[in-house]
Amino acid sequence: MSYHLLLSFPSRIQQINKLAPSHTITARNLLDTQRRRRSSSVKSAAKFQRATVAQNSGATTGLTAQGAAFNLPPIPSTPANTQTMSLSRSPSPRAGGGWSSPGLTSPFDTLSGRSSPRKAYGDLHVNGGPIANGVTWASAKARSEEVNGYPSFSTRNNGFFSRHARKISSSLPRFNLGNRQTYAEKEKLGRGRWYPNAGSRMATIKTFLGSLTRRMRLRILLVFAIILAVILFYVTPIHRAYRRVSWLGGGKKFVIVLAANQGGGVMEWKGPREWAIERDSVKNKKKYAKKWGYDLEIVDMSTKKRYAHEWRESWEKVDTMRNCMRKYPSAEWFWWLDLNTFIMEPTYSLQSHIFNQLSQTTYRDINHYNPLNISHPLTQPYLDPTSLSAVGDGDPKTIDLIVPQDCGGFNLGSFFLRRSAWTDRLLDIWWDPVAYEQKHMEWEHKEQDALEHLYSNQPWIRSHTAFIAQRKINSFPKGACSEKGEDPRIHYKEKDRDFVVNMAGCEWGRDCWGEMYNFRELSNKLNRTLWEKFKDGISARWKALTETKPKEEEKKENEKEEEKKS
């Protein structure tokens, strides 16, 4: 009977539309109404199906015998099934049709407890046209889920947040809230989570630090790489290697020449103070040369006594500089330092302090500071333009001798010589024995007076000689050149952080060891690290606190004594 109802279903819809034109009911609305009714009759349909299985008759209710059973051919190499399978619940749009795959027929009836007719699948339209003859598994399963009251859904990753929600949430820090469990489903409790020691505070911190470390792995590796580079290039001796390279530091071009055992065995024997001065001075130069990759040549002047017939007291600088140029053929600049000098600022390199801006740190016109009143420039008409000029050719590349001046003239306690043909010629003439024999009794300051004489009388020397400010490489303590008081061009200034101090003339009435010790301690104080400054600050405050108590007690005692007297 239901089969005839299905066939007459379109005509009944037309009749309803004619009877109620103002309240038109379309076929699609009727289908929706029938679906809602079917969900309420699922239980009765299930009871009826169980009864039908018990009967196992294969008959259908309301269908003809032709559509109730359909014999399928047996599968090869399998026993034939004598029972027929009911196709009453087949989702096929054809009456008596089966599933898309052969053999998947249901033994149950299509009775579902419905009392209203249902439109066949073939009458529905999709995209404006009827569905194809075959019914796919996916469409049948979807319709079955809709009929049974389970709404179907599909994950659609539409939008930025939907696509990246998991990535964003996984990158956020996780905090352990103890035994709080906020999961809705019980089977997910603790999944992917580990709460050590039942969520204690220390375990929470460890878990947080562990997750933070995993996320910041690259940053931590970068920090460790930077620390390792600092250790390798600034703490270990590797920094000496790269600072010596010409295209990195250029330290290989500089040689520091330091004279030890001054006097060469001719003067008196050294006592403990002299040995202490020499030890501190040598240690200071070694530390500075090692820091910047320079070569250090410590010359033992006592060996000169072997050649007593050639000994020239206080003239050994010239011969020593000439020998060092032979020993270091790849070096360019040679810096002579007296034993009584001390490098106050080891953080200054020669390149950054002087030679990177040689034209600004030096001057050629001696009239800028001329304590000897040497006439300059020369005015003889037969001289070339370079010799007649007060600044020579003005090119810093032609500077081969750099000398500071103190209150008495040239000072060779700290000076520079450059390797060149001009320098070789100067050293030969400077060391000329004829000039020594004729003038050594007149020149009080020995080789220093000899150089002043050559500069005054030889025009070719002026064109390659430059002067540098005294405090740039050769500051004096207050006891030196003190006849006219303190001179800001000569004497050391702590606030200006002068580079080198020369205790010149300390052996004549001054305490050389006392001056060396004071400047050494001052240099250590000025070049302290942040940690050393912190420790010194704490110790200074502690001393201030401990020393104020006795002073206060003394004041109280003095007040009591005054009261008694009064």
Side-chain angles (χ1 to χ4, degrees):
M1 181 177 178
S2 60
Y3 179 61
H4 293 288
L5 289 173
L6 289 172
L7 295 176
S8 62
F9 186 65
S11 62
R12 299 189 70 175
I13 294 175
Q14 294 176 0
Q15 293 176 3
I16 293 170
N17 292 335
K18 291 179 181 180
L19 293 175
S22 61
H23 301 284
T24 304
I25 301 175
T26 62
R28 189 173 299 277
N29 291 335
L30 285 175
L31 288 175
D32 294 337
T33 306
Q34 291 171 4
R35 289 172 184 171
R36 289 192 296 270
R37 289 179 181 178
R38 185 174 181 180
S39 63
S40 63
S41 60
V42 172
K43 294 183 180 180
S44 60
K47 292 180 182 179
F48 191 84
Q49 288 174 359
R50 286 195 294 271
T52 307
V53 171
Q55 294 176 3
N56 195 13
S57 61
T60 61
T61 304
L63 290 177
T64 62
Q66 295 178 357
F70 182 78
N71 294 329
L72 295 175
I75 299 174
S77 69
T78 59
N81 188 6
T82 58
Q83 297 181 356
T84 60
M85 301 178 65
S86 174
L87 300 177
S88 60
R89 289 187 57 82
S90 172
S92 175
R94 297 181 181 181
W99 293 88
S100 298
S101 300
L104 298 178
T105 58
S106 174
F108 304 105
D109 294 333
T110 57
L111 292 178
S112 59
R114 296 171 53 87
S115 61
S116 61
R118 185 181 65 171
K119 189 179 177 75
Y121 287 177
D123 294 337
L124 299 178
H125 289 76
V126 177
N127 296 331
I131 299 177
N133 294 332
V135 178
T136 61
W137 176 278
S139 63
K141 185 177 180 182
R143 182 169 293 280
S144 176
E145 290 176 352
E146 291 177 358
V147 169
N148 293 331
Y150 296 98
S152 62
F153 71 96
S154 60
T155 304
R156 295 185 177 93
N157 292 327
N158 297 325
F160 175 82
F161 184 78
S162 298
R163 292 194 301 269
H164 299 278
R166 184 172 180 81
K167 295 181 180 179
I168 294 173
S169 62
S170 61
S171 63
L172 296 175
R174 298 175 181 176
F175 300 93
N176 187 357
L177 300 179
N179 293 325
R180 278 187 69 182
Q181 298 174 350
T182 58
Y183 291 100
E185 300 181 19
K186 294 181 179 181
E187 65 271 11
K188 291 184 179 180
L189 290 176
R191 182 181 298 177
R193 301 287 193 274
W194 176 57
Y195 300 100
N197 299 329
S200 63
R201 184 174 296 179
M202 289 302 299
T204 302
I205 296 174
K206 290 180 181 178
T207 305
F208 174 73
L209 292 177
S211 61
L212 188 66
T213 304
R214 286 191 297 271
R215 291 195 302 272
M216 300 179 65
R217 189 175 301 169
L218 293 177
R219 298 179 183 177
I220 293 173
L221 290 176
L222 180 62
V223 171
F224 276 109
I226 293 174
I227 294 174
L228 181 62
V230 171
I231 293 173
L232 289 177
F233 292 100
Y234 289 94
V235 179
T236 61
I238 296 178
H239 71 277
R240 174 179 169 85
Y242 79 82
R243 281 178 175 172
R244 285 182 59 82
V245 181
S246 59
W247 53 277
L248 285 177
K252 193 176 181 180
K253 299 189 301 182
F254 299 92
V255 178
I256 301 175
V257 184
L258 179 65
N261 282 329
Q262 205 119 10
V266 176
M267 299 178 66
E268 62 181 358
W269 291 98
K270 292 187 296 186
R273 287 177 173 267
E274 287 75 14
W275 282 112
I277 292 171
E278 185 168 326
R279 181 183 63 249
D280 287 349
S281 180
V282 171
K283 183 179 179 180
N284 174 251
K285 310 307 186 296
K286 283 184 177 180
K287 183 179 179 181
Y288 181 76
K290 182 179 179 181
K291 179 178 178 65
W292 295 106
Y294 305 145
D295 288 313
L296 176 62
E297 180 67 16
I298 301 176
V299 182
D300 188 0
M301 293 299 177
S302 63
T303 58
K304 289 289 184 178
K305 64 183 180 181
R306 301 178 185 176
Y307 313 99
H309 60 284
E310 296 180 2
W311 175 254
R312 305 179 188 180
E313 185 177 348
S314 299
W315 284 67
E316 63 274 3
K317 296 180 182 179
V318 180
D319 190 40
T320 300
M321 295 293 281
R322 188 165 56 178
N323 293 334
C324 288
M325 288 185 178
R326 297 192 189 103
K327 185 176 181 179
Y328 299 94
S330 60
E332 182 180 1
W333 285 97
F334 296 83
W335 184 21
W336 174 274
L337 285 173
D338 282 349
L339 188 65
N340 291 332
T341 58
F342 196 87
I343 299 175
M344 297 293 294
E345 298 296 332
T347 57
Y348 297 173
S349 66
L350 294 177
Q351 296 93 314
S352 61
H353 189 59
I354 300 172
F355 293 98
N356 289 345
Q357 56 275 352
L358 192 60
S359 60
Q360 288 84 22
T361 55
T362 59
Y363 60 94
R364 294 198 182 189
D365 189 0
I366 196 174
N367 295 319
H368 182 73
Y369 179 65
N370 191 1
L372 297 176
N373 295 322
I374 299 176
S375 60
H376 185 78
L378 297 174
T379 57
Q380 288 80 354
Y382 54 82
L383 296 176
D384 60 289
T386 302
S387 301
L388 293 173
S389 173
V391 296
D393 57 2
D395 187 3
K397 295 181 180 179
T398 60
I399 297 176
D400 295 319
L401 174 64
I402 302 176
V403 182
Q405 294 189 90
D406 57 19
C407 59
F410 293 6
N411 188 284
L412 299 181
S414 173
F415 71 96
F416 290 93
L417 269 177
R418 187 177 191 174
R419 180 189 300 278
S420 65
W422 180 92
T423 304
D424 293 337
R425 182 182 177 188
L426 172 66
L427 293 176
D428 289 341
I429 296 177
W430 198 356
W431 188 248
D432 185 9
V434 176
Y436 171 76
E437 292 292 339
Q438 293 179 354
K439 296 290 185 178
H440 74 279
M441 298 299 294
E442 299 178 10
W443 293 336
E444 180 181 0
H445 298 98
K446 313 300 188 294
E447 79 284 353
Q448 191 168 286
D449 291 343
L451 181 62
E452 292 172 354
H453 176 79
L454 292 174
Y455 181 87
S456 301
N457 296 280
Q458 301 293 333
W460 62 274
I461 292 180
R462 298 191 184 193
S463 58
H464 291 265
T465 302
F467 301 94
I468 190 170
Q470 173 79 8
R471 290 176 52 195
K472 199 74 174 177
I473 62 170
N474 197 34
S475 298
F476 278 0
K478 294 181 179 180
C481 286
S482 58
E483 291 81 5
K484 297 181 181 180
E486 187 175 354
D487 192 342
R489 296 173 297 183
I490 296 175
H491 294 104
Y492 175 82
K493 294 292 183 181
E494 178 181 347
K495 64 178 182 180
D496 296 333
R497 306 289 291 270
D498 291 347
F499 182 34
V500 178
V501 173
N502 183 8
M503 279 71 73
C506 63
E507 62 272 10
W508 309 105
R510 302 201 322 263
D511 185 4
C512 294
W513 165 243
E515 292 182 0
M516 177 71 73
Y517 176 80
N518 292 331
F519 282 109
R520 184 192 69 186
E521 294 300 315
L522 179 59
S523 176
N524 294 335
K525 178 183 177 182
L526 295 175
N527 294 278
R528 289 175 299 172
T529 60
L530 293 176
W531 174 246
E532 291 175 344
K533 290 180 180 179
F534 176 74
K535 292 191 299 182
D536 293 344
I538 292 176
S539 61
R541 290 181 181 179
W542 177 255
K543 289 181 180 179
L545 292 174
T546 56
E547 291 178 357
T548 53
K549 293 181 180 180
K551 291 181 180 179
E552 292 177 356
E553 293 177 357
E554 290 178 0
K555 290 181 180 180
K556 291 180 179 179
E557 291 178 357
N558 294 332
E559 290 177 357
K560 290 180 180 179
E561 291 179 357
E562 290 178 357
E563 291 177 357
K564 290 179 180 180
K565 291 179 181 179
S566 60

